[in-house]
Amino acid sequence: MTVFRIREAADLLGVSDDTLRRWIEQGRIASGTDDSGRATVDGADLAGFLASAESGRHDPVTRGTSARNRFVGIVTHVQSDPVMSHVEMRSGPHRVVSLMSTEAVRELGLEVGSLATATVKATAVVVETPSGRSAV
């Protein structure tokens, strides 16, 4: 399962580290610790929070690209059959839905709680994952 450090989770929510830590203390979202003792948020818990809450409007994309219609967010739902899959993401206030091959879902390692980017060009939505990040 994908796990996010507090800074990463806060960026995805569009809030400060302090705000996210307050929400954790208030019990609004669960947290854990990694092997180094740093606070973390489980990707599935973050996905559930995003699916049920109004999220921030901050877009944490930090790499250059010519694509302008990009939505960085958390996968909140994956429904697959042997050939096709229905993938939903939350990106700030946006819900993004994509239909793609189940093979692509497997290759990208998409699951509830995964960090992903939806790139929209014409009528096609392409979902990417950052290189070097995989589910643990």
Side-chain angles (χ1 to χ4, degrees), residues 2-6 9 20 24 29-32 39-43 45-46:
T2 304
V3 175
F4 297 95
R5 293 182 57 189
I6 295 297
L20 179 54
I24 290 168
I29 188 167
S31 71
T40 60
V41 175
D42 182 80
D45 291 337
L46 187 59

Side-chain angles (χ1 to χ4, degrees), residues 70-119:
R70 297 170 53 87
F71 299 89
V72 177
I74 299 291
V75 175
T76 57
H77 178 78
V78 177
Q79 182 176 349
S80 298
D81 69 24
V83 178
M84 295 300 292
S85 292
H86 173 251
V87 178
E88 293 183 24
M89 295 172 48
R90 283 295 299 255
S91 176
H94 307 288
R95 178 175 165 261
V96 180
V97 178
S98 177
L99 300 176
M100 65 184 73
S101 71
T102 298
E103 178 183 20
V105 168
R106 282 193 305 267
E107 287 177 1
L108 291 171
L110 294 175
E111 59 186 16
V112 171
S114 296
L115 175 65
T117 302
T119 304

Side-chain angles (χ1 to χ4, degrees), residues 15-78:
V15 299
S16 70
D17 295 8
D18 291 338
T19 296
L20 179 54
R21 289 180 197 283
R22 263 193 312 279
W23 290 351
I24 290 168
E25 289 172 12
Q26 295 167 353
R28 292 179 63 187
I29 188 167
S31 71
T33 56
D34 63 14
D35 293 339
S36 301
R38 294 179 295 228
T40 60
V41 175
D42 182 80
D45 291 337
L46 187 59
F49 182 82
L50 283 166
S52 67
E54 280 301 311
S55 58
R57 286 149 177 75
H58 174 70
D59 186 353
V61 174
T62 58
R63 59 185 175 261
T65 179
S66 64
R68 295 294 176 241
N69 300 316
R70 297 170 53 87
F71 299 89
V72 177
I74 299 291
V75 175
T76 57
H77 178 78
V78 177

